[in-house]
Amino acid sequence: MENVTEFEKEWTCEELGAEERLKELCKDFNEGITGGNLCNDLCKNNQLVLHDCQAHKNTTIVFFGAWNNKQVVFKTKEKPQNFIPLKDLIFNEFNENPTHVQNQGKYYKRFISHVFEHVINELSVEKLRETMTPHSTLELLWHPFTVGKLSWADMSALWRLIQRDEFIKLQLLQDMKHIPKVYGFCGSFYAMEQVTPLSDCGPSLLIKPIPWKKRVNISMDFLELSKEFSKSSLGHLYHCDVQPSNFGITKDEHIVATDIDHVFASKLIKNFLEEPTCESDSQCDFFDCKGLCNQSAHHCSRNILTNNLQEICKYIFVSSWIDPGLLQRAPVFAQNKLSSILNECASEKLLPWKHKKEARIYRQLKKILTELAEE
């Protein structure tokens, strides 16, 4: 039998100590060690009620539950590594231990300044300095609650939570239709709307089948997602891990990107692509985002070959890994209309596309899907 690494093995919530983590979370909240805008509802008011648990590899714990008549997931990811705790930052600046000082208001301005700089550096989006302030950034991270008087425990918990950029991106992109709603956090756990994973649905007989008309509507929503990601408040976003398990269907049947660990703004993905030395283009790929090798310099360039629409066509519409994609196993009349444009869209032979080509493929797909939805 082959050796299985810790990352590859299937973990259970029991092995990851999930229930114990929740008990410890509420113990720390009651002792003033950690905070967050959902801690009262979880630990005191019983407004956030959790039941089933699921583990993803050894990195993520997800509880399912209900809050304010909404079905939610309450998740945490592996602890951030190599980060400076907030108290160490403040201690270095004020030469005192902030947790032992009664008047903690004087730390607030330094706290929101650190948060603001961290968000900009983590996302590599300098233009946020023109559109946001430290306080408006905090308001977005504290969403959907109003920022009141924050305790030291609240500030420390939020500082730790934003060391993982997924929470930052989720909160800063809450104005987007194709990003799941976030309901708040407690300690290192945060609550999001519960959706049906796209990987649980499809044309395959092995999973829950979706009727053809509904698949067409979902595909049209994916087209909208590709356009929305190109004009977000963080600039053009690239999704570098396009697979069904990273998307979900909401109650009102919209597609949302549920796992955005590998969604990056332009500058950051270009920085990633530029790092490796190379002999061929394939050595410059960052997950699904494909790069270009400068073979004379043996170094990857900052050019991104792929785009969100092409990846959606390839990994969602045509083939979702080993299963047929959303627009496969279509009625014959639909296959005749879709076949040519899907093949062109999913192909990697003529990358990168010029803007006119992307716009043309988008228009053609939308026109055909609209016609199919009305038939």
Side-chain angles (χ1 to χ4, degrees), residues 309 356 358-368:
L309 179 56
K356 283 185 178 179
E358 183 171 354
R360 174 182 60 79
I361 290 176
Y362 179 94
R363 283 196 309 270
Q364 285 184 246
L365 270 172
K366 185 170 183 179
K367 181 176 181 291
I368 293 170

Side-chain angles (χ1 to χ4, degrees), residues 12-31:
T12 66
C13 286
E14 289 75 18
E15 289 175 305
L16 296 180
E19 292 287 349
E20 291 74 16
R21 290 277 297 275
L22 275 187
K23 290 175 184 175
E24 189 71 21
L25 177 64
C26 284
K27 179 174 177 289
D28 286 347
F29 170 65
N30 291 325
E31 293 176 359

Side-chain angles (χ1 to χ4, degrees), residues 139-286:
E139 287 179 324
L140 290 176
L141 294 172
W142 201 256
H143 176 86
F145 293 84
T146 301
V147 178
K149 184 178 179 181
L150 300 187
S151 68
W152 178 256
D154 290 329
M155 291 188 278
S156 298
L158 181 59
W159 176 251
R160 175 173 168 169
L161 189 56
I162 64 174
Q163 302 308 307
R164 296 197 60 90
D165 68 354
E166 184 178 48
F167 181 78
I168 300 174
K169 290 180 284 193
L170 283 168
Q171 289 290 58
L172 267 59
L173 298 172
Q174 282 296 291
D175 61 331
M176 291 175 63
K177 174 182 173 182
H178 297 98
I179 293 293
K181 297 287 180 281
V182 176
Y183 299 129
F185 74 99
C186 179
S188 62
F189 283 82
Y190 53 97
M192 296 165 52
E193 70 175 311
Q194 191 178 142
V195 298
T196 302
L198 185 64
S199 52
D200 288 355
C201 314
S204 172
L205 297 176
L206 300 177
I207 52 182
K208 183 182 177 182
I210 305 178
W212 168 245
K213 212 67 166 281
K214 187 173 178 181
R215 284 192 274 145
V216 169
N217 289 329
I218 290 171
S219 298
M220 290 176 69
D221 215 41
F222 263 111
L223 288 186
E224 278 190 32
L225 180 150
S226 74
K227 179 166 276 192
E228 188 179 43
F229 269 42
S230 70
K231 54 181 182 180
S232 81
S233 59
L234 302 180
H236 192 119
L237 299 175
Y238 289 87
H239 201 311
C240 296
D241 193 11
V242 175
Q243 55 176 298
S245 60
N246 287 339
F247 296 91
I249 306 172
T250 64
K251 277 188 175 180
D252 54 0
E253 299 193 349
H254 285 305
I255 285 292
V256 290
T258 51
D259 189 331
I260 59 172
D261 269 340
H262 294 100
V263 171
F264 304 103
S266 294
K267 183 182 176 184
L268 196 54
I269 185 58
K270 287 177 180 178
N271 290 345
F272 289 148
L273 292 177
E274 193 180 31
E275 287 179 4
T277 56
C278 62
E279 298 292 334
S280 65
D281 288 348
S282 63
Q283 292 173 300
C284 299
D285 296 349
F286 184 80

